[in-house]
Amino acid sequence: MKRFSFFCFLVPLSVFAQDSERILKSCASLLAVNRSVQTRFFFGEKREKFRSDTLSANPQNVRYRAFNYVWAKEYEQAAIWLEKTTTLSPKEHGIAGEFYLAQFRDYPRALTHFNAYDALTPSFDDIVGYNPVSYMRGLTYRSMGDHEKAIDQFSVAIDPLAAKHGAEWVNYRHFVSRAVSYIATKQPEKALVDLEKAAKNFNRSALVQYHRGRALLILNRIAEARTAFQDASFFFKALRAERTGDYQEDDFNPVYELEIDETLAHLKTLNR
Amino acid sequence: MNNGKHCIRLFHLVAIRYSRQATFFIFHFSFFITHYSFTFAQTPTREQLVGTWIGVHTEWDLDFACALPIYIQLDADSTYHLGMVDGSASKLTSTWSILGESVRLDTIHFAPRLVSLQNELLRIGTNYPMVFRRFNDIPLDSATVYEQLNGRIWQSDSLTISLFANGQASLENTLAKQRTAHFWQLAQFSKSIFLIIRGNQHNRDSGYKALWQINSVSSKQLQAIGWNGCKIAAEPFRLVRNLSPGDSCRPSGFQTCDNCFRQLWAESTLTRGQKRYDIVQLFTKYYQPVNQTGESGLVRIQFVVNCEGERGLVEINGFDEDYCPRQFDPRITNQLSTICSEHIATDQSIRQSDSASGLFRDISISLAFRLKDGRITEILP
């Protein structure tokens, strides 16, 4: 009887065969991952920190260290190391500003860093990542609720470029950002002008159509607004199918499918 | 910024891959594992490598290791086998060789010195070192071992193991008094018997917790070879008592389903993309602002929801506007915690690993709120 119960005890092993095949394959893959020495430890933050301690304190290494703390949401350390990067190299003010704006949502600090970055070359609109610092400053003012200053800064980023090379050379998201501030300051006509230009630069944008709808609503052009929101809904779904994952056209100007659908539903009730 | 996004993407890809497969084990976090990454060992000779090597653990980080339930067999005729110690999967067979300072296993050519022998342990790699010990066959009768172990509580200096007759098992850290619940079984490897601890408090899935080779067993003593939390040793256990029908196998506190769980690997991002809308709406609807000057800065709430929907490992931290740690008014933190508990932890969709199969996984949530005078002004991404 005892031998029988022992036999039963071993039987469940076969149940796991499928799972075990996967485990064995993943271990074989891990052997392959270990075939060479990697320079960074993406999944071992303590090992990565140990490695960081051995690196020279140049701005790139210090910035990378700050990034690691931001990802881990260790805000105290992240802020300390971000400030260190700017002490080591004033050029780091741009990236620090972007981090305070996008990750920390700390607008006063972001503005301080963008101003310091821009002051390095007063006659030139320095670039932060893919955007001019004036645009980043515009986003910061907008987040602080100061749309007038935001429009000024967006215009610094947009107008000289459009005048020199044409509106088609302007990032469509920049037009959208200025349009958002125009809408907020009850200037829907100006918003529509910007959104038309944005649509020319990306004619399948749900983001552009959504804000067109908002501007048209303010002008009480309900039928056109409904069409714009319907286009936004269509483009949104098309983009979602095209780009797998949790897609967002512009993190600084988020638009949500539910928001579009709710607006459309509200417009239907207006018709009744 | 681009590097950051790339790393996060890469992180998520591999985290999903490995956390789901959950093969490993962590004994307890307080022991630091010696870090060999910068030790330059000599490539072992062919004669030194020939033999069977039993997986001990994978060192995912300096203080985090998970059980490695595999073995590597390197034969003198250059045959290479990779298999599961418990025989639960078909072994992979290929060839191996040493070319100068480089070892080849199957098609994997290891860079010089990445396969090394240190203190009778075979270490492979420095990224996520995989540690193996040399296997010595200890013939034992499986039925006798089962008879001795079944329905009894065994204790070493650091660990108490309860092996229930229904196949459940609990492991209790003797010092920390932390107990986790699993399932146990015996597996025969060559003529040896291994005690396998796997699964969680709910089922036998979710990977291996521990594997010990039984060295000897009697009615009062048990000796098992394996990782004891700080070294690989033949750990002596003494019989505490027989389990009684009233004894139940329950964890002492919150337990993740996955035996190789790490919060950072399992983070479910709720504040990016389309999910952000729901989170913003949720806190707009339920959070009642506490209008109090000075209640400004960041509040970070972190917690884990296991595959069964149980919430644990809750941590709430506050930072002032200069990012120095601070306490916030409990009316604020309690509200945020309650909203998380009642509306996020209960959302099954965030635990669903695959909507088609209906499988659930452990997830970690980390939310950070920016407050101004008791009002939420932003939810950080």
Side-chain angles (χ1 to χ4, degrees):
Chain A
M1 186 61 194
K2 277 178 180 167
R3 283 189 181 269
F4 176 73
S5 64
F6 172 67
F7 171 76
C8 292
F9 208 68
L10 286 176
V11 166
L13 284 176
S14 60
V15 175
F16 307 123
Q18 199 182 351
D19 190 38
S20 294
E21 299 286 350
R22 283 208 309 269
I23 292 170
L24 191 59
K25 281 180 184 166
S26 81
C27 288
S29 301
L30 191 58
L31 281 169
V33 168
N34 274 319
R35 72 186 181 280
S36 57
V37 178
Q38 74 185 30
T39 52
R40 288 173 180 176
F41 301 101
F42 295 114
F43 314 110
E45 67 262 37
K46 288 203 170 63
R47 193 172 277 147
E48 180 60 19
K49 187 177 176 303
F50 180 85
R51 188 189 74 85
S52 302
D53 288 342
T54 65
L55 300 177
S56 60
N58 63 38
Q60 290 75 28
N61 290 337
V62 173
R63 184 210 306 154
Y64 180 70
R65 202 169 170 136
F67 289 2
N68 279 338
Y69 283 120
V70 172
W71 297 330
K73 296 193 175 176
E74 291 184 34
Y75 297 109
E76 185 188 10
Q77 287 299 317
I80 289 169
W81 286 91
L82 271 179
E83 298 300 334
K84 273 186 188 172
T85 61
T86 58
T87 310
L88 285 169
S89 167
K91 286 182 180 174
E92 297 290 323
H93 277 298
I95 290 173
E98 187 174 358
F99 258 74
Y100 280 117
L101 171 66
Q103 303 294 327
F104 289 70
R105 308 286 165 111
D106 185 341
Y107 308 123
R109 274 206 193 209
L111 196 58
T112 304
H113 284 287
F114 288 139
N115 287 342
Y117 184 63
D118 199 28
L120 295 175
T121 50
S123 58
F124 182 73
D125 199 3
D126 301 82
I127 298 294
V128 180
Y130 297 111
N131 301 300
V133 67
S134 53
Y135 177 71
M136 302 304 287
R137 205 154 39 192
L139 290 173
T140 312
Y141 279 125
R142 194 184 72 181
S143 302
M144 295 165 86
D146 192 340
H147 288 280
E148 296 296 345
K149 278 188 178 169
I151 290 168
D152 288 346
Q153 290 299 315
F154 290 142
S155 300
V156 171
I158 294 168
D159 295 344
L161 181 63
K164 192 171 179 183
H165 298 292
E168 66 271 26
W169 285 90
V170 177
N171 185 333
Y172 82 98
R173 295 180 181 91
H174 295 190
F175 282 125
V176 171
S177 290
R178 188 163 68 176
V180 168
S181 284
Y182 280 138
I183 291 169
T185 51
K186 306 288 178 203
Q187 301 179 76
E189 294 88 352
K190 285 185 177 176
L192 283 175
V193 172
D194 270 356
L195 290 167
E196 291 302 329
K197 289 174 186 167
K200 277 183 188 166
N201 290 354
F202 182 31
N203 60 12
R204 293 183 300 134
S205 168
L207 175 65
V208 171
Q209 293 306 326
Y210 174 72
H211 289 294
R212 269 193 75 233
R214 288 180 63 217
L216 290 164
L217 269 185
I218 296 171
L219 294 168
N220 212 25
R221 289 155 63 178
I222 305 295
E224 288 171 85
R226 189 184 308 112
T227 306
F229 284 121
Q230 281 167 346
D231 286 349
S233 178
F234 175 80
F235 289 139
F236 193 98
K237 288 167 177 61
L239 278 172
R240 190 181 54 194
E242 252 176 51
R243 306 180 191 194
T244 53
D246 206 3
Y247 183 65
Q248 189 58 266
E249 258 188 78
D250 182 5
D251 285 333
F252 289 118
N253 291 298
V255 60
Y256 303 103
E257 192 172 13
L258 266 172
E259 211 169 24
I260 301 170
D261 292 343
E262 280 170 12
T263 312
L264 274 172
H266 176 67
L267 285 176
K268 276 184 187 171
T269 61
L270 290 181
N271 278 350
R272 286 173 191 163
Chain B
M1 286 295 281
N2 285 338
N3 280 343
K5 284 174 182 170
H6 170 73
C7 294
I8 289 168
R9 272 199 300 275
L10 187 64
F11 177 88
H12 281 293
L13 282 175
V14 182
I16 288 165
R17 183 177 182 181
Y18 287 112
S19 68
R20 277 279 297 115
Q21 292 173 350
T23 59
F24 315 105
F25 117 84
I26 177 169
F27 227 107
H28 62 84
F29 295 95
S30 57
F31 291 100
F32 264 55
I33 296 156
T34 311
H35 181 50
Y36 292 95
S37 301
F38 298 97
T39 306
F40 295 98
Q42 291 293 313
T43 300
T45 63
R46 186 179 180 82
E47 289 68 33
Q48 286 174 311
L49 284 180
V50 166
T52 301
W53 299 90
I54 300 292
V56 177
H57 58 225
T58 303
E59 295 173 1
W60 288 99
D61 206 347
L62 296 179
D63 61 345
F64 183 70
C66 294
L68 188 56
I70 59 168
Y71 71 91
I72 286 175
Q73 189 181 325
L74 304 171
D75 293 340
D77 66 357
S78 295
T79 306
Y80 159 74
H81 297 288
L82 179 71
M84 299 294 289
V85 171
D86 62 10
S88 57
S90 311
K91 67 183 177 186
L92 308 173
T93 301
S94 184
T95 59
W96 73 283
S97 63
I98 297 181
L99 302 163
E101 286 192 276
S102 173
V103 175
R104 176 182 63 81
L105 301 179
D106 191 10
T107 58
I108 307 165
H109 292 259
F110 290 90
R113 295 184 295 278
L114 288 186
V115 174
S116 63
L117 271 178
Q118 291 166 5
N119 305 323
E120 283 302 300
L121 296 177
L122 177 67
R123 294 180 64 85
I124 298 181
T126 54
N127 301 331
Y128 308 103
M130 300 166 85
V131 180
F132 296 81
R133 66 174 177 85
R134 189 181 284 282
F135 172 63
N136 292 311
D137 208 359
I138 303 166
L140 286 172
D141 177 58
S142 52
T144 307
V145 174
Y146 175 73
E147 196 178 315
Q148 297 286 4
L149 296 184
N150 188 29
R152 290 177 172 165
I153 302 174
W154 302 88
Q155 191 173 60
S156 73
D157 289 344
S158 59
L159 191 69
T160 303
I161 309 176
S162 302
L163 302 172
F164 291 80
N166 66 359
Q168 286 186 294
S170 70
L171 302 181
E172 183 170 326
N173 182 311
T174 312
L175 295 174
K177 299 287 178 199
Q178 286 174 341
R179 189 176 60 251
T180 53
H182 311 275
F183 285 82
W184 72 283
Q185 63 203 61
L186 297 179
Q188 188 154 2
F189 184 79
S190 191
K191 292 174 183 168
S192 298
I193 301 298
F194 279 73
L195 170 62
I196 312 279
I197 308 285
R198 61 175 296 164
N200 53 46
Q201 66 273 43
H202 303 291
N203 56 56
R204 291 170 186 268
D205 301 333
S206 75
Y208 293 79
K209 179 76 176 172
L211 295 93
W212 285 292
Q213 183 181 356
I214 306 297
N215 195 11
S216 63
V217 65
S218 68
S219 58
K220 299 288 181 191
Q221 290 282 335
L222 160 69
Q223 197 172 46
I225 305 166
W227 173 249
N228 70 1
C230 27
K231 62 180 182 183
I232 293 142
E235 187 86 348
F237 291 84
R238 63 177 178 82
L239 176 71
V240 177
R241 63 176 172 86
N242 288 337
L243 284 158
S244 63
D247 289 321
S248 63
C249 185
R250 278 200 294 259
S252 57
F254 175 77
Q255 182 182 338
T256 56
C257 299
D258 191 336
N259 284 318
C260 185
F261 176 82
R262 212 155 190 216
Q263 276 181 263
L264 203 57
W265 296 359
E267 195 168 323
S268 177
T269 311
L270 302 178
T271 50
R272 290 179 190 273
Q274 293 301 304
K275 288 175 185 165
R276 185 172 175 81
Y277 182 76
D278 297 330
I279 288 294
V280 171
Q281 295 296 310
L282 181 73
F283 284 93
T284 306
K285 183 176 178 183
Y286 291 106
Y287 181 76
Q288 299 295 319
V290 176
N291 291 317
Q292 194 165 327
T293 308
E295 292 298 314
S296 304
L298 295 177
V299 174
R300 186 187 64 199
I301 297 188
Q302 294 172 307
F303 58 95
V304 172
V305 185
N306 72 11
C307 67
E308 293 290 323
E310 294 154 351
R311 178 174 176 251
L313 306 179
V314 181
E315 198 182 326
I316 301 177
N317 298 95
F319 305 88
D320 68 14
E321 289 180 303
D322 290 321
Y323 304 100
C324 296
R326 64 156 287 179
Q327 296 273 320
F328 276 85
D329 189 320
R331 289 176 297 164
I332 294 170
T333 48
N334 289 346
Q335 264 199 85
L336 295 174
S337 178
T338 304
I339 296 168
C340 288
S341 170
E342 292 179 359
H343 300 282
I344 297 176
T346 52
D347 182 357
Q348 282 198 6
S349 68
I350 59 173
R351 292 186 283 119
Q352 204 153 17
S353 54
D354 177 359
S355 54
S357 65
L359 291 173
F360 293 99
R361 65 188 177 99
D362 304 322
I363 52 145
S364 152
I365 304 285
S366 180
L367 294 171
F369 306 87
R370 184 166 286 285
L371 291 125
K372 185 71 183 169
D373 298 331
R375 288 175 295 106
I376 296 175
T377 57
E378 289 283 358
I379 298 175
L380 272 57

